[in-house]
Amino acid sequence: MMPLALAFVGDAVYELYIRSRILSDGNLTAGTLHKMAVKYVCAHSQAYAAEMLKDKLSEEETYIFKRGRNAWSPSVPKNCNVTEYRQATGLETLIGYLHLTGQKDRADQIMAFCVEQIDRKEEENEQEKRV
């Protein structure tokens, strides 16, 4: 399957994972839920999580990630740079691949790791602001 097709599926799987996870935070408005989700699904955050994930991937997973990262895309969103967008696409490609090949437990492990990394980075940023 083409890498960008895998990324298309991976984007949806990751988004659903994030939305399901933030619902456990309580009864919040749709606007608040959206703001919370964006923190995890934006290319900037995904690229950061992908960088932290690199050393934890198998050889096969690294190959799939790189196929997605290196796939040509006709456009890049305004709110990120090309490098971030490609890293995020690589992550989404990997998640899509794992999902479609029935490796849902591994996909969940990777997505949970990404959330942990994004949360940790946000906590560090908040601490720096206080200092």
Side-chain angles (χ1 to χ4, degrees):
M1 193 172 277
M2 298 295 290
L4 295 180
L6 292 172
F8 177 74
V9 171
D11 177 59
V13 171
Y14 185 69
E15 177 89 22
L16 182 59
Y17 178 87
I18 294 301
R19 287 179 180 219
S20 298
R21 189 172 174 123
I22 62 174
L23 279 176
S24 66
D25 288 345
N27 192 14
L28 304 168
T29 66
T32 301
L33 291 169
H34 175 73
K35 286 178 187 174
M36 291 173 70
V38 167
K39 175 177 85 171
Y40 298 100
V41 301
C42 71
H44 178 75
S45 292
Q46 286 181 338
Y48 173 77
E51 188 63 34
M52 299 296 103
L53 180 66
K54 279 184 183 179
D55 296 338
K56 295 171 180 14
L57 299 177
S58 70
E59 192 173 310
E60 177 186 26
E61 291 168 345
T62 299
Y63 172 75
I64 298 297
F65 172 84
K66 287 180 178 180
R67 280 189 62 212
R69 182 196 64 197
N70 297 335
W72 181 81
S73 179
S75 64
V76 174
K78 291 182 234 176
N79 60 348
C80 69
N81 63 46
V82 174
T83 302
E84 288 176 334
Y85 183 68
R86 290 186 186 277
Q87 288 283 98
T89 301
L91 177 63
E92 291 172 348
T93 300
L94 176 59
I95 292 168
Y97 171 79
L98 294 170
H99 178 79
L100 291 174
T101 58
Q103 300 178 65
K104 292 179 177 63
D105 288 343
R106 180 62 176 148
D108 284 347
Q109 287 175 346
I110 288 172
M111 292 184 289
F113 178 84
C114 290
V115 167
E116 289 171 18
Q117 296 306 306
I118 294 165
D119 284 344
R120 185 182 57 77
K121 179 70 171 169
E122 184 176 296
E123 286 175 21
E124 289 173 3
N125 289 343
E126 287 178 16
Q127 288 177 356
E128 288 177 8
K129 288 178 185 176
R130 289 184 205 135
V131 174

